[in-house]
Amino acid sequence: MQFSFKNISSQQIQTIRQQMLKFAVLQLRDEDLAEDVVQEALTKAYQHADSFRGAAALKTWFFAILKNQIIDLLNYRRRTVTVSEVYDGDEDEDPNVFFDQTGHWDRNSFLPTAWQEPSEQVYKKEFWVIFEACLEHLPAQQARVFMMREYFEMKSEQICQECDLSTSNLHVLLYRARLQLQACLTRNWFDNKK
């Protein structure tokens, strides 16, 4: 079955659009620019609607397009603005269960193997709803740099340039974000599953 925008309501599109806009504003810190990026992402989705096969949720597909638009914009801005590189070596952070030794979100090490089973998809969706709620409760700057690092997979140097941060300040923000996410997930997910 081929996807068509005719198959979804304008309310569904509007709801997803508002979520995309909120995400884009957090990342770009400019409502007008965020509006442009979201509009461009929706335009690309419309133009390439025939490539949507329904393997992922519609919202996931829209957000994948938005993610690529934001990365392209950040890369473009980085190439067109001369900013000195900021890097002072490896970070020394205390490891915890959610992050690997390099400080990146370790998506696979804590996922239960049962999530591979179709019957456990509801369990997985519940986790990501709680994770998203925990992320939304972070201070805006912490959430922004965390998403740049873990979702956009940007390097520290790129994030420092984009956010006008020193490397040590970035590492402090990431460390605090990780601690708060760990505490929130422990309180709202893992403790409730015992």
Side-chain angles (χ1 to χ4, degrees):
M1 181 176 125
Q2 187 167 339
F3 170 75
S4 169
F5 276 88
K6 295 175 185 174
N7 298 340
I8 59 174
S9 71
S10 61
Q11 180 61 39
Q12 288 173 302
I13 292 286
Q14 187 60 26
T15 300
I16 293 171
R17 185 186 172 286
Q18 288 301 321
Q19 293 168 346
M20 291 169 71
L21 187 58
K22 182 178 178 184
F23 179 78
V25 167
L26 174 67
Q27 292 303 316
L28 300 173
R29 302 286 187 180
D30 181 328
E31 288 186 30
D32 294 330
L33 190 56
E35 183 72 46
D36 291 344
V37 169
V38 168
Q39 188 62 38
E40 184 66 28
L42 290 172
T43 300
K44 285 194 182 231
Y46 182 76
Q47 291 170 342
H48 301 288
D50 58 338
S51 69
F52 180 70
R53 301 284 180 238
L58 183 62
K59 178 180 171 181
T60 303
W61 185 62
F62 279 126
F63 269 83
I65 295 169
L66 178 62
K67 172 187 171 184
N68 290 330
Q69 290 297 116
I70 291 173
I71 289 172
D72 289 346
L73 176 65
L74 293 175
N75 287 336
Y76 173 77
R77 287 187 356 187
R78 194 180 75 247
R79 285 191 312 266
T80 57
V81 177
T82 306
V83 179
S84 63
E85 271 191 31
V86 180
Y87 183 71
D88 65 1
D90 295 333
E91 62 182 278
D92 267 342
E93 293 184 355
D94 296 330
N96 63 55
V97 298
F98 298 111
F99 303 95
D100 64 19
Q101 293 77 17
T102 62
H104 287 135
W105 178 253
D106 194 355
R107 295 179 178 109
N108 298 318
S109 69
F110 70 92
L111 293 177
T113 54
W115 283 11
Q116 306 307 319
E117 298 295 322
S119 63
E120 296 297 325
Q121 290 303 308
V122 171
Y123 183 78
K124 184 177 179 180
K125 285 180 183 178
E126 288 174 6
F127 172 83
W128 289 114
V129 166
I130 291 173
F131 177 82
E132 188 175 319
C134 288
L135 188 62
E136 287 181 8
H137 284 89
L138 288 178
Q141 182 74 341
Q142 287 180 16
R144 182 177 187 218
V145 297
F146 180 83
M147 291 301 288
M148 289 173 130
R149 179 70 171 258
E150 304 304 333
Y151 187 71
F152 295 127
E153 299 177 351
M154 294 173 68
K155 295 185 184 305
S156 294
E157 299 85 11
Q158 294 173 298
I159 299 170
C160 288
Q161 289 174 352
E162 180 63 31
C163 297
D164 194 25
L165 297 170
S166 68
T167 303
S168 59
N169 193 6
L170 171 65
H171 293 183
V172 167
L173 288 170
L174 288 171
Y175 180 72
R176 289 178 180 167
R178 291 171 183 146
L179 285 179
Q180 288 182 36
L181 284 171
Q182 181 181 16
C184 181
L185 288 171
T186 299
R187 185 174 54 254
N188 296 301
W189 178 255
F190 292 105
D191 285 350
N192 292 334
K193 296 300 171 191
K194 291 180 181 176

